[in-house]
Amino acid sequence: MRKRVGVFVCECGTNIAATVNTEKVAEYASTLPGVAYATTYKYMCSDPGQELIRASIAEHELEQVVVASCSPRMHENTFRRAVEAGGINPYMFEMVNIREQNSWVHHDKQLATSKAMDLVRMAVSKVLKNQPLQKSTIPITKKAMVIGGGIAGMQAALDIAEAGYQVILLEREASIGGKMAQLDKTFPTMDCAA
Amino acid sequence: MSIESSKGWEPKIIVFACNWCSYAAADLAGLNHLDYPADVRIIRTPCSGRMDPLFVMRAFNRGADGVLLSG
Amino acid sequence: MVAAAQHPNIELMTYAEVKKVSGYIGNFTVSVRKKAKYVDWDLCTGCGTCIEKCPTKKIKDEFNLGIGLRTAIHKLFPQAVPGKPYIDAESCRKLTQDKCGVCEKVCPTKAINFNDKDEMVDIEVGAIVMATGYDLFKWEEVYGEYGYGKYPDVISGLHFERLVSAGGPTGGKIVRPSDGKEPKSVAFIKCVGSRDDTKGKSYCSRACCMYTAKHAYQVKDKIADSEAYVFYMDVRTAGKNYEEFYQRALNAGAKYIRGRVSKIYPRGDKLVLKSEDTLLGMPIEVEADLVVLATAMVPSAGAVDLAKAIGFSVDKDGFYQEAHPKLQPMETFAAGVYLAGACQGPKDIPDTVAQASGAAVKVCGLFSKPELATDPMTSVVDATKCSGCGLCVPICPYGAISLKERKERGGHGQGPFIRQVAEVNSSLCQGCGACVPACRTMALNLKGFTDEQLVAEVDALCL
């Protein structure tokens, strides 16, 4: 695998840029070993931001991508798809959290910028060790089992069955109905439970 | 390896955080804009079960001032 | 009930218990024990002749909580679905003493089979919905002040439901269990076992405020010149039209008294309830003919063992743990296993139905895909490095690792040999990586979070 990392630093409007000097982070990133291209953008997750990633992959023949922006718990899948659309394996990608775990919790611009640089360096080092991964698929038995034949089980079974799937409604007593069958009228409408 | 700052020496602390709890908690701290010192560097792990003593030794060996495992 | 029984896509499997679940999302194998019914339901027409003729008639009817009697061959209740009888092996004289056999003689379709045996079946399913419901807190074991269950006229709310039900043993007439007389004064005590850290559970059971309001209303409605007293801590009516319903009970004349009953004791044929009215700030005493306890909901018997068998967690009270309290209330930590109803926590019927429909949507969403894509960040074994020690097998919380035989070519003049190596089932593996540090020969690695990747991160940060 060739080492051609692209680093994309997101400003997130001013969410990141107000505390982290993103220009300086991108500039620093471009000096790291293996990095072929580094840039900043106002909103990486927006359509033009994702387009920038796709175009840059082609233009700079990138093999690995690092995005420094918000938490991966937020947009990891977004960027994986963008990277894949750019023609490289979606797992040749790492994300750096410089918003939730940096710009939003620190005030000192110098410290926050230095932290962002460290985190970008960390991600670049990791992404260089990444291997392409393939999602595998497993077959699905399209039949459900509902354990318990009370009101919850009956409702779930009926809804699944209505959608066209086979359901086994299992009950340990000899009749379905559960506790509800023991009830008289039910609140608040006082209609019959059976 | 310490962090350079106008305030003088700052320690560098490596944090290993489980993606599902501590890492999410650190995100939550961010969402709430809870200020804390910038000395920590969080490494995301898929679970604290993934932690290998090797990583801790490696961090100290390379000069980390502190290591925090959270999960 | 009938709708569920008649739906062409639903197969009812009653009088059956789950023994074991193996497999993973999309591909579960459920081992089910179908208990012996001693009646061939394919032949049985549900005519009920056997029930009429059964001479063993004096068994306490569990469905009615001991009010009324049933026969050894019986339906769970008259409107049971499926509407077919089964034999209670413990009370049948034929099965216990080899006498009688009347039902066999009278059955017009020869459906009775005294040689019936429990049957084990394995069923392949793609998703499981847990709907195991709740049981009532056993107040008799801890509430000495309410008589440890020794006063027959101190009953639970469910007991009261059977009394007041038109289909119940009394035909809907509210009577005292002790003497069959109609009670003129009924006292209700809420939060028995709920919101009681010392004797019961810390949580609120959520449905009791409302059903107690209903019971109080029914007492006022059905019994002329009656009194209904409700002892309460709080009245919680958070639900659509609930507050209005509570007001209806108040308007009907139910008397709400804020206070915990500290003692119940008999006086003549009545029961005396000693309490404090905390709004008046004074002790009070109420005489009642019948006392109804709103007991806490607890997980149904066997629910915790079932969770263990399937492989997901329960909370401190034994209710099934949802994957996220707000965002994933129908999911468990086991992919493909969903939750509906009171097994996840105390709930009333509207909430139960809503959650059940939600769980059904989760199942349908899963089934709507042709195949299931799996996260590739799973553990892998380098078989050439694996020593087959098996240390990783018990470490894996998902049971994804097993030892498999591997045939290898022998070197230096030796023939081929077989040895054990670890194998990861990538469908079961959730990618936690707990196995990786456990491996002494470094044969295991986690894709996406390899040792090399994590060490590279540590090194980069420690520059």
Side-chain angles (χ1 to χ4, degrees):
Chain A
M1 188 69 63
R2 289 194 306 163
K3 294 180 178 178
R4 288 192 67 78
V5 184
V7 179
F8 300 85
V9 185
C10 179
E11 295 167 10
C12 196
T14 56
N15 273 304
I16 292 169
T19 317
V20 173
N21 186 337
T22 48
E23 289 295 336
K24 209 172 154 193
V25 173
E27 198 182 300
Y28 170 74
S30 62
T31 66
L32 291 170
V35 174
Y37 176 68
T39 187
T40 62
Y41 189 71
K42 199 149 214 60
Y43 290 105
M44 272 333 293
C45 61
S46 65
D47 271 346
Q50 294 186 49
E51 181 49 40
L52 175 66
I53 296 174
R54 287 194 290 270
S56 305
I57 289 171
E59 191 186 336
H60 301 280
E61 295 176 10
L62 303 179
E63 300 278 358
Q64 296 91 0
V65 170
V66 169
V67 175
S69 58
C70 51
S71 171
R73 294 174 57 85
M74 180 110 184
H75 273 312
E76 192 167 47
N77 280 330
T78 312
F79 293 123
R80 282 229 169 97
R81 280 194 295 271
V83 166
E84 193 171 22
I88 58 181
N89 185 283
Y91 294 90
M92 300 305 285
F93 161 75
E94 287 298 326
M95 203 160 161
V96 190
N97 189 336
I98 58 167
R99 193 179 73 171
E100 281 87 343
Q101 296 181 7
N102 193 343
S103 71
W104 277 354
V105 287
H106 307 315
H107 285 115
D108 186 316
K109 213 169 166 174
Q110 191 194 349
L111 286 178
T113 304
S114 142
K115 178 172 175 177
M117 289 177 184
D118 276 10
L119 294 177
V120 166
R121 188 171 68 237
M122 168 180 93
V124 169
S125 306
K126 185 180 181 191
V127 84
L128 288 170
K129 305 275 183 193
N130 279 21
Q131 295 290 326
L133 300 178
Q134 305 302 333
K135 281 197 172 184
S136 59
T137 57
I138 48 173
I140 305 170
T141 308
K142 294 189 179 177
K143 185 178 189 183
M145 176 174 282
V146 177
I147 303 176
I151 176 73
M154 288 190 290
Q155 181 70 43
L158 276 170
D159 286 349
I160 297 167
E162 269 303 301
Y165 302 110
Q166 296 290 313
V167 187
I168 293 172
L169 180 55
L170 186 131
E171 166 60 49
R172 66 178 164 197
E173 296 296 340
S175 169
I176 57 170
K179 288 279 186 299
M180 198 202 59
Q182 292 175 285
L183 305 182
D184 181 42
K185 294 170 178 170
T186 53
F187 66 81
T189 50
M190 294 299 266
D191 48 359
C192 132
Chain B
M1 65 148 276
S2 303
I3 300 162
E4 281 173 37
S5 133
S6 48
K7 292 178 205 149
W9 183 82
E10 301 264 346
K12 187 174 271 189
I13 297 162
I14 308 295
V15 182
F16 293 92
C18 161
N19 179 50
W20 305 102
C21 55
S22 308
Y23 194 89
D27 280 356
L28 194 62
L31 284 169
N32 290 309
H33 296 256
L34 302 175
D35 200 21
Y36 59 83
D39 308 329
V40 296
R41 304 282 183 266
I42 297 180
I43 296 179
R44 186 163 68 129
T45 62
C47 167
S48 39
R50 177 67 188 87
M51 272 310 296
D52 196 314
L54 166 87
F55 305 147
V56 182
M57 306 303 278
R58 184 82 170 198
F60 282 127
N61 188 263
R62 295 287 166 125
D65 299 303
V67 175
L68 173 66
L69 307 184
S70 185
Chain C
M1 279 169 21
V2 175
Q6 289 177 342
H7 201 288
N9 286 342
I10 298 180
E11 181 190 337
L12 290 188
M13 197 172 277
T14 56
Y15 215 41
E17 286 177 345
V18 173
K19 284 286 140 199
K20 203 177 123 220
V21 176
S22 55
Y24 45 88
I25 182 168
N27 301 274
F28 294 104
T29 302
V30 185
S31 303
V32 173
R33 184 168 71 95
K34 293 166 103 172
K35 293 180 273 190
K37 296 191 272 271
Y38 306 99
V39 178
D40 186 338
W41 281 8
D42 290 336
L43 296 175
C44 174
T45 60
C47 71
T49 311
C50 54
I51 303 172
E52 270 172 45
K53 302 288 181 194
C54 177
T56 314
K57 292 184 191 297
K58 298 211 169 156
I59 303 155
K60 279 200 170 181
D61 190 349
E62 301 88 350
F63 185 80
N64 290 322
L65 292 99
I67 323 165
L69 302 170
R70 64 165 173 86
T71 48
I73 186 164
H74 70 294
K75 294 182 197 173
L76 193 63
F77 53 104
Q79 301 78 26
V81 176
K84 313 224 167 151
Y86 67 107
I87 296 177
D88 163 20
E90 282 172 23
S91 48
C92 172
R93 286 171 63 202
K94 176 76 179 175
L95 290 167
T96 53
Q97 302 161 41
D98 199 24
K99 289 175 184 163
C100 186
V102 167
C103 49
E104 190 179 25
K105 287 171 204 138
V106 300
C107 178
T109 60
K110 307 258 173 288
I112 310 289
N113 172 17
F114 290 116
N115 297 320
D116 199 8
K117 294 266 181 311
D118 287 3
E119 185 193 348
M120 291 297 300
V121 285
D122 282 350
I123 300 162
E124 310 277 327
V125 294
I128 298 172
V129 177
M130 304 303 297
T132 53
Y134 67 96
D135 276 342
L136 292 180
F137 178 74
K138 291 196 173 60
W139 68 273
E140 300 92 337
E141 291 172 5
V142 290
Y143 281 91
E145 61 266 47
Y146 301 161
Y148 287 125
K150 75 174 185 239
Y151 306 134
D153 295 331
V154 179
I155 63 175
S156 73
L158 196 60
H159 207 137
F160 185 84
E161 288 286 346
R162 295 315 298 151
L163 285 176
V164 81
S165 168
T170 61
K173 191 170 161 52
I174 303 168
V175 296
R176 280 156 52 104
S178 61
D179 54 13
K181 282 187 198 156
E182 188 172 64
K184 286 290 175 192
S185 162
V186 183
F188 296 90
I189 306 176
K190 294 206 284 188
C191 300
V192 177
S194 306
R195 303 177 69 198
D196 185 347
D197 270 333
T198 48
K199 291 194 166 178
K201 307 291 177 184
S202 55
Y203 54 81
C204 163
S205 290
R206 290 188 60 191
C208 331
C209 278
M210 291 306 295
Y211 73 63
T212 300
K214 187 199 75 162
H215 290 168
Y217 176 82
Q218 285 176 311
V219 166
K220 295 298 290 183
D221 186 44
K222 288 200 164 192
I223 306 171
D225 318 318
S226 62
E227 290 294 352
Y229 300 97
V230 180
F231 291 90
Y232 69 99
M233 288 205 271
D234 293 294
V235 179
R236 296 181 169 178
T237 58
K240 192 168 174 177
N241 289 327
Y242 285 16
E243 178 62 23
E244 292 87 334
F245 187 88
Y246 162 56
Q247 293 298 334
R248 195 169 145 193
L250 287 179
N251 289 338
K255 291 196 173 66
Y256 273 66
I257 301 161
R258 187 165 174 273
R260 294 285 283 171
V261 174
S262 59
K263 182 96 184 140
I264 299 175
Y265 58 92
R267 180 187 292 159
D269 68 345
K270 287 181 178 290
L271 292 158
V272 180
L273 290 85
K274 282 181 83 77
S275 178
E276 184 192 11
D277 187 325
T278 56
L279 295 180
L280 295 176
M282 55 189 282
I284 58 159
E285 211 179 84
V286 167
E287 267 195 355
D289 298 314
L290 181 67
V291 178
V292 182
L293 309 178
T295 45
M297 287 190 203
V298 295
S300 76
V304 174
D305 292 336
L306 194 53
K308 276 187 197 147
I310 297 176
F312 60 91
S313 45
V314 299
D315 67 17
K316 69 177 182 8
D317 296 304
F319 288 111
Y320 293 160
Q321 180 68 51
E322 67 279 10
H324 187 284
K326 276 180 267 183
L327 302 175
Q328 293 173 295
M330 294 114 189
E331 281 131 299
T332 63
F333 288 118
V337 180
Y338 307 100
L339 302 175
C343 61
Q344 181 248 339
K347 264 182 209 71
D348 59 16
I349 293 174
D351 285 1
T352 293
V353 170
Q355 197 188 19
S357 289
V361 167
K362 295 283 169 194
V363 172
C364 295
L366 171 66
F367 287 179
S368 68
K369 300 182 184 92
E371 277 183 317
L372 196 62
T374 56
D375 193 325
M377 291 190 178
T378 54
S379 287
V380 278
V381 182
D382 181 345
T384 58
K385 286 187 192 165
C386 177
S387 68
C389 71
L391 275 175
C392 51
V393 177
I395 294 273
C396 179
Y398 306 100
I401 310 181
S402 54
L403 288 177
K404 287 277 152 64
E405 286 187 347
R406 180 184 153 99
K407 199 174 172 182
E408 293 197 354
R409 256 176 50 210
H412 303 290
Q414 290 164 333
F417 63 96
I418 288 170
R419 68 182 186 98
Q420 302 259 311
V421 292
E423 191 179 273
V424 178
N425 181 329
S426 61
S427 303
L428 283 176
C429 176
Q430 301 290 312
C432 74
C435 53
V436 182
C439 180
R440 294 182 175 187
T441 57
M442 296 178 89
L444 273 161
N445 221 335
L446 179 64
K447 289 187 279 181
F449 289 94
T450 60
D451 284 336
E452 298 73 29
Q453 286 172 304
L454 284 163
V455 167
E457 286 188 289
V458 173
D459 287 356
L461 285 181
C462 295
L463 269 183

